[in-house]
Amino acid sequence: MAGPRVVIIGAGVVGAALADEISERGWTEVTVVDQGPLPATGGSTSHAPGLVFQTNSSKTMTEMARYTVEKFCSLEVDGKPCFLQVGGLEVATSPERVAELQRRHGWLTSWGIEARLIGPEECVEQHPLVNPDKVLGGLLVPTDGLAKAVLAVEAQIRRATERGVRFLARHEVLDVQHTEGRVTGVLTDQGEIPADIVVCCAGIWGPKIARMAGMNLPLTPLAHQLAWTGPVPALAGQTEEAVRPILRHQDADLYYRDRFDGLGIGYYGHRPMPITADEILSVDDADEMPSVLKFTEEDFEEAWTETQSLIPATREAKVEEGINGLFSFTTDGLPLLGESPDVKGFWVAEAVWVTHSAGVGRAMAEWLVDGHCSSFDLHECDVNRFEPHQLAPEYVLARDCRNFAEVYDILHPLQPPEDLRPLRTSPFYARQQELGAFFLDANGWERPQWYEANAGLVEGRSIVTPNDWAARFWSPIVGAEAQVTRETVAMYDMTALKRLEVSGPGSAAFLERLCTGKIDKSVGSVTYTLLLDHDGGIRSDITVARLAPDRFQIGANGNLDLDWFTRHLPADGTVQVRDTTAGTCCIGLWGPLAREVLQPLTDADFSRDGLKYFRAKQAYIGSVPVTAMRLSYVGELGWELYTTADQGQKLWDTLWEAARPLGGIVAGRGAFNSLRLEKGYRSFGTDMTYEHDPYEAGVGFAVRLDKGDFIGKAALEQRKADVRRRLTCLTVDDPQAVVMGKEPVYDGDRPVGYVTSAAFGYTIGKGIAYAWLPAELATTGRTLQIGYFDRRVEAVVAEEPLFDPTMSRLRG
């Protein structure tokens, strides 16, 4: 036996995958417990229809699905396959869905999955039951198919058992035992099981189990309708379980699969039917199984009518059986993976469907055994990504139900939620409303995208309207605000960016250990630096301002940064970290006239030498105490001005009164994003993530290999000499082709990369797209193409930054 003592709670498709993967890596002192019988334990796995569609806007989720397909294709039980690779077909019955399938094809191409768009005739060839008069086109993915979920569980249980893993059926978990912030074991109705690590893979029971370890899991079980027809005469004599592709009719929230001479029909168009984990019946009390609720025929009527329209052969059949099956939904539609922030050794792998199960099993095994995941970028899936308000029961229920309702909807990348708003507002909110701000959601914050008060600025400017898709949640005012920022001065609300305070006598040494840059510098220094994982991958990019010998302000990217800092705090109590975001606010004052606005308002010296670039100081702006940092993410002279929330509105009014006579404006995030891309500034989570290193991402300047040791340094020293891909700046001359991100990039007919961030550059008069490309293609002047819906848009590799390469405006 090897490795720590591990208990996995739940022997469904996730728990079985983790047991298999972790034992394959040498950890065999593993016990898997489940309240139900094996291998069909009564959870979601036991009734799952098994459809595996790999298409996803998330690269990580697609890669996890691909791994699941590959693994399941290699598994069998007594000669019976665990995966039927019949392909997947999504059909469009509206012009809007045709365009959406083109976009989805772009994702697949970007992520390296074989797929092709097909016309109506071929849709019918692939699935002859489909009504040829109803279908306008389709998306075919040959490697999709049907997972035999219970068989896959059995196959993985057998493999893990051969390595020494113990599986205990009919063991109900009563408690997760922990002492002094560390897991010690699991209490079941048949006794205690000691453990160093406990992994909750309980699915729809996840919130109940997590609560035993003091963890609030933002997951809601929701019922989803699945019906089975009786014999369909057109399928008479079909002896194979499945011969046609699995089928999605997303315009009507429906999917279909073969089952010999009948069909399975899944439906998302009904009302959300949430239930709590505590309300789910026990294995012994449930009529069929705990995850199966009584079929509500009235909710299925519209689905059956639409089915008979899309698949006319079903008019000669009947719905003979149906269930309302429980599945897990989360507030952002992504899994919940990772370790509890409060109880060491308690991990979760929750809200994982069959489609991604083997990928999640591999990811969790790598994370546990190696200390990090090398196969997938998990920043979107980390359970510690949520802000406190996102764990509120009302928020979780509302957003989980919304995600159920929108599961097949066509969603724009900028589309904000409509419910539970406003949630978080800056002290400037009332003033922004007065100026006609158009708000989008930024991690719960109401953040202006543009201001209708600036509509008059559009007149006389050449601001081209982009294509219809890019023009959603856009206004020509965005272009005017960007141009005026470069001409005079603008105020930007930067409050939504997370702020942390690190303090204590050990704080400088602590930050030196975590950061790639030199932090132990003079008071007033500001450093752009990176946080790396042990493999050298970028966990975040942050700014660190030294405000006192033992106090630093961190400009962070989100709650994962706070979690990373907290997990690495020294045990001796010499360092404290706290989130100061809610009690503070920030205005970015940027533009060539920024100094003319600010200097008359203060006795402090804001001249070029009085506060140099990347320096900070405390000052009074009028009567408001501020921390001023000489930073600019729009590439213009200016400052980030921080104060406490109670004085935020006064700071806004003071600056606004001084800026207006000089032609100053307020500006929104639309202009900000355009200006930052002109300057070549990266955005963590979009342009670079855990899977990238600093040299690939073009931020190697933030790494000081000549300083003392820091997390990831040893790995970087090996990776530095082997840069095979680069984050590359592309420009697009066609103003109608403003891409949005995640589109494939082609070299001739060969897909070679994908777009990360994109916007129109209103200063340079061209579209801008940053993309990951093979290093040999990232050469200035090279012509490539971007796949955009049904078009190929010509793009040229450009030298960056596109604006102010000498930094004269920033340092002025």
Side-chain angles (χ1 to χ4, degrees):
M1 307 294 280
R5 298 170 300 175
V6 179
V7 174
I8 298 172
I9 301 174
V13 74
V14 180
L18 175 55
D20 180 36
E21 296 281 344
I22 203 170
S23 60
E24 187 177 38
R25 285 162 177 78
W27 282 16
T28 54
E29 196 167 344
V30 178
T31 301
V32 184
V33 297
D34 200 292
Q35 63 184 341
L38 297 175
T41 63
S44 300
T45 300
S46 301
H47 75 258
L51 286 79
V52 175
F53 286 95
Q54 296 165 86
T55 312
N56 199 294
S57 62
S58 164
K59 182 172 183 282
T60 296
M61 298 301 285
T62 300
E63 289 173 340
M64 286 180 169
R66 173 167 50 199
Y67 180 77
T68 301
V69 167
E70 292 170 352
K71 183 175 183 180
F72 282 11
C73 282
S74 72
L75 298 178
E76 62 174 35
V77 175
D78 301 332
K80 293 179 287 187
C82 294
F83 195 78
L84 307 178
Q85 201 159 39
V86 293
L89 175 64
E90 299 183 39
V91 294
T93 59
S94 66
E96 294 79 13
R97 186 65 63 175
V98 170
E100 174 70 357
L101 293 188
Q102 292 165 351
R103 188 165 72 112
R104 294 169 72 80
H105 178 257
W107 296 340
L108 289 163
T109 305
S110 292
W111 315 146
I113 301 287
E114 178 191 355
R116 57 191 178 92
L117 294 163
I118 61 177
E121 294 90 0
E122 191 173 354
C123 287
V124 177
E125 289 175 13
Q126 292 287 335
H127 204 298
L129 298 185
V130 168
N131 184 350
D133 297 327
K134 194 173 179 71
V135 174
L136 303 179
L139 173 62
L140 181 68
V141 184
T143 53
D144 285 347
L146 286 168
K148 306 291 291 180
V150 174
L151 271 183
V153 167
E154 186 173 357
Q156 293 174 102
I157 286 177
R158 290 185 181 185
R159 285 160 49 125
T161 301
E162 289 175 358
R163 302 186 192 108
V165 174
R166 182 173 60 149
F167 286 83
L168 301 178
R170 292 286 185 174
H171 279 61
E172 182 183 357
V173 173
L174 304 178
D175 194 19
V176 175
Q177 298 169 320
H178 49 97
T179 303
E180 296 180 353
R182 180 172 288 279
V183 156
T184 59
V186 171
L187 176 64
T188 77
D189 58 353
Q190 299 190 44
E192 297 183 12
I193 306 173
D196 305 303
I197 293 173
V198 174
V199 187
C200 177
C201 303
I204 53 178
W205 290 277
K208 181 179 180 180
I209 300 297
R211 198 163 58 239
M212 296 175 184
M215 192 174 183
N216 186 1
L217 208 61
L219 180 158
T220 303
L222 281 113
H224 159 57
Q225 291 200 302
L226 175 64
W228 300 97
T229 72
V232 177
L235 302 180
Q238 180 175 319
T239 57
E240 294 182 63
E241 180 178 352
V243 297
R244 279 162 291 276
I246 53 175
L247 178 68
R248 274 205 281 203
H249 175 26
Q250 299 194 81
D251 281 325
D253 297 305
L254 285 161
Y255 64 75
Y256 305 90
R257 56 151 294 177
D258 284 9
R259 188 173 72 165
F260 300 103
D261 62 351
L263 291 175
I265 307 169
Y267 186 45
Y268 285 104
H270 55 79
R271 61 193 167 90
M273 305 180 202
I275 187 172
T276 69
D278 297 299
E279 293 173 316
I280 302 172
L281 295 176
S282 68
V283 173
D284 293 328
D285 291 338
D287 290 337
E288 183 175 349
M289 64 181 76
S291 62
V292 169
L293 307 182
K294 184 179 178 181
F295 188 61
T296 50
E297 294 182 8
E298 64 276 13
D299 290 301
F300 196 72
E301 291 176 358
E302 188 174 334
W304 183 235
T305 300
E306 181 60 29
T307 294
Q308 293 175 312
S309 175
L310 180 72
I311 305 177
T314 57
R315 296 169 188 168
E316 301 180 64
K318 294 182 178 180
V319 174
E320 292 198 345
E321 55 182 305
I323 62 169
N324 286 4
L326 294 175
F327 288 94
S328 299
F329 281 79
T330 63
T331 56
D332 57 7
L334 292 165
L336 308 173
L337 312 179
E339 188 180 21
S340 163
D342 302 313
V343 179
K344 292 185 183 299
F346 181 76
W347 293 70
V348 299
E350 293 291 352
V352 181
W353 292 5
V354 172
T355 299
H356 310 102
S357 58
V360 166
R362 179 175 183 173
M364 292 298 296
E366 290 178 351
W367 201 348
L368 288 163
V369 175
D370 302 330
H372 60 86
C373 176
S374 56
S375 295
F376 310 102
D377 162 35
L378 297 183
H379 87 275
E380 294 176 311
C381 306
D382 193 315
V383 69
N384 296 295
R385 65 189 180 269
F386 300 105
E387 297 290 331
H389 74 275
Q390 294 172 318
L391 300 175
E394 179 188 35
Y395 182 96
V396 172
L397 179 61
R399 293 292 159 86
D400 289 358
C401 289
R402 177 178 62 84
N403 282 334
F404 176 89
E406 294 180 349
V407 70
Y408 279 174
D409 287 2
I410 299 171
L411 300 176
H412 192 273
L414 295 179
Q415 187 166 325
E418 296 179 0
D419 53 356
L420 300 181
R421 291 180 63 195
L423 269 173
R424 307 172 83 183
T425 58
S426 78
F428 323 131
Y429 183 61
R431 298 292 187 257
Q432 292 165 343
Q433 288 179 304
E434 292 168 3
L435 294 168
F438 180 85
F439 294 100
L440 294 182
D441 178 87
N443 207 17
W445 291 95
E446 295 294 319
R447 184 168 64 187
Q449 192 74 358
W450 68 81
Y451 293 85
E452 288 296 331
N454 293 328
L457 299 174
V458 176
E459 187 176 351
R461 297 179 181 274
S462 178
I463 299 172
V464 180
T465 300
N467 58 81
D468 290 345
W469 184 249
R472 298 187 189 184
F473 306 103
W474 176 88
S475 165
I477 297 170
V478 168
E481 290 177 357
Q483 292 178 355
V484 172
T485 301
R486 298 249 187 260
E487 295 163 1
T488 57
V489 64
M491 292 165 50
Y492 288 82
D493 181 1
M494 304 298 289
T495 303
L497 299 181
K498 197 171 191 70
R499 292 171 292 285
L500 308 176
E501 181 184 85
V502 175
S503 60
S507 53
F510 169 73
L511 290 169
E512 285 285 347
R513 171 66 179 152
L514 267 63
C515 298
T516 61
K518 183 67 175 173
I519 306 300
D520 194 1
K521 299 186 290 191
S522 62
V523 172
S525 65
V526 182
T527 306
Y528 173 81
T529 186
L530 308 173
L531 304 177
L532 303 181
D533 215 326
H534 294 275
D535 64 348
I538 301 171
R539 287 196 63 94
S540 189
D541 66 335
I542 61 174
T543 55
V544 180
R546 190 169 203 171
L547 303 182
D550 294 337
R551 181 166 59 89
F552 297 80
Q553 178 173 310
I554 312 297
N557 280 300
N559 209 59
L560 288 180
D561 292 347
L562 175 60
D563 181 68
W564 186 252
F565 281 129
T566 302
R567 290 182 187 277
H568 289 87
L569 286 173
D572 60 8
T574 57
V575 183
Q576 296 82 44
V577 59
R578 67 186 184 100
D579 186 347
T580 61
T581 310
T584 56
C585 58
C586 178
I587 295 174
L589 181 71
W590 295 313
L593 301 184
R595 188 171 284 122
E596 294 181 41
V597 171
L598 194 63
Q599 188 60 77
L601 301 175
T602 179
D603 293 333
D605 185 359
F606 279 88
S607 66
R608 177 174 179 172
D609 294 329
L611 185 60
K612 294 181 178 180
Y613 188 53
F614 265 80
R615 297 288 298 178
K617 70 175 1 174
Q618 311 287 335
Y620 285 93
I621 306 302
S623 60
V624 180
V626 302
T627 297
M629 298 186 195
R630 180 84 187 276
L631 308 176
S632 171
Y633 285 96
V634 301
E636 293 290 340
L637 168 68
W639 303 268
E640 292 179 358
L641 302 170
Y642 298 88
T643 192
T644 51
D646 61 319
Q647 297 194 72
Q649 189 175 98
K650 181 61 176 177
L651 177 62
W652 176 282
D653 291 344
T654 301
L655 294 171
W656 183 227
E657 185 178 349
R660 289 180 67 187
L662 298 174
I665 62 166
V666 292
R669 189 68 178 184
F672 177 94
N673 197 48
S674 170
L675 297 170
R676 81 154 176 97
L677 287 177
E678 288 183 335
K679 194 60 184 164
Y681 292 140
R682 278 67 168 142
S683 173
F684 177 79
T686 303
D687 299 317
M688 54 191 186
T689 66
Y690 294 2
E691 66 177 307
H692 306 117
D693 72 43
Y695 306 110
E696 299 171 327
V699 289
F701 64 87
V703 177
R704 289 279 301 273
L705 290 176
D706 59 347
K707 63 173 259 182
D709 194 25
F710 56 85
I711 293 175
K713 181 179 180 180
L716 274 195
E717 289 173 333
Q718 296 181 8
R719 294 176 68 156
K720 183 177 182 180
D722 188 25
V723 176
R724 300 182 182 183
R725 57 184 175 178
R726 293 192 184 278
L727 183 62
T728 307
C729 180
L730 304 175
T731 58
V732 177
D733 287 333
D734 183 355
Q736 287 292 306
V738 178
V739 301
M740 301 291 293
K742 303 187 178 182
E743 298 87 359
V745 179
Y746 295 87
D747 180 26
D749 292 330
R750 180 173 63 107
V752 292
Y754 59 92
V755 173
T756 57
S757 294
F760 191 79
Y762 297 100
T763 308
I764 66 169
K766 294 183 178 183
I768 305 169
Y770 272 78
W772 280 102
L773 297 175
E776 65 271 16
L777 297 181
T779 56
T780 302
R782 179 146 197 153
T783 299
L784 301 166
Q785 299 82 39
I786 299 174
Y788 192 52
F789 291 94
D790 59 345
R791 298 180 56 190
R792 291 284 183 89
V793 177
E794 187 171 287
V796 178
V797 176
E799 189 172 350
E800 56 174 330
L802 299 169
F803 178 78
D804 189 27
T806 64
M807 303 281 282
S808 59
R809 294 172 73 103
L810 271 173
R811 298 181 182 276

